[in-house]
Amino acid sequence: MKHIKVADLMTDEVVSVAPDTAFKDVAKLLAQHGVSGLPVLDDEDRVVGVVSQTDILARAAPAPHPAEQTTPPAGPPTAGGVMSTPAVTVHAEETAADAARLMTRRGIERLPVVDEEDRLVGIVTRRDLLRLFVRPDSEIRRRVTDEVLTEILGVPTGDIDVHVVDGFVTLDGRVERRSQLPALLSLVERLDGVVAVASHVEARTDDTLATHAGHARHAQPW
């Protein structure tokens, strides 16, 4: 089955900065474009870090009293000096579901998207990923019928009725073998845009009994 890739959802026009971009210029870009973070690129467009609003605010915090400073103040701050590194990125060919899991696990709002050579090609945000859950019901139904039932499981047309309302899929009907039921449920649940699945599908024959009997015969001692 075809899954939505990060490349299908990402924005390819990305505002980025270089490591030597001045701190104040980074802050201006964040405010001007209304974004929470900017990728920091080297001379070959590879992502070496990300500078975020949190990094900016931490750097802008009041400095310690001069008597408490243990090292002399450095030069003017730059993106390279305040960025978070290594950068958390995602490849364009990864699935949108993988990107969503990565964002959730790392607690971030946006991911730089890179190609096979780790060069920046786009950006994907939580808002972009929300588009997965607004897939038309008609498209979800078509994918269940054409891809899951016909192409993968080989279920004859008309054996299973598929109803989709607001991403909630209901299945009614029969398949030939009981062993097909777990695969059917798993495949439908993994379709982009599916919120939940209620399956009332039954099997004409229970081929799992023959499998269990075969295992039992092989388990007997000689």
Side-chain angles (χ1 to χ4, degrees), residues 107-123:
I108 52 182
E109 298 290 330
R110 55 204 295 116
L111 283 170
V113 184
V114 297
D115 61 14
E116 295 82 359
E117 298 181 1
D118 291 331
R119 292 176 300 195
L120 184 71
V121 294
I123 201 90

Side-chain angles (χ1 to χ4, degrees), residues 137-207:
D137 289 341
S138 59
E139 180 182 343
I140 296 174
R141 184 182 185 281
R142 179 193 61 77
R143 295 192 64 192
V144 172
T145 302
D146 296 349
E147 297 180 22
V148 175
L149 297 177
T150 302
E151 296 179 14
I152 299 178
L153 297 179
V155 177
T157 302
D159 279 15
I160 295 181
D161 292 326
V162 180
H163 301 279
V164 185
V165 179
D166 295 332
F168 190 98
V169 180
T170 303
L171 305 172
D172 290 283
R174 290 176 179 270
V175 292
E176 189 63 34
R177 303 181 305 277
R178 186 178 181 85
S179 59
Q180 292 176 294
L181 295 178
L184 170 62
L185 184 60
S186 175
L187 290 168
V188 174
E189 287 177 337
R190 288 163 49 193
L191 284 176
D192 299 314
V194 171
V195 176
V197 182
S199 178
H200 309 294
V201 179
E202 299 178 349
R204 294 185 178 91
T205 60
D206 189 352
D207 57 333

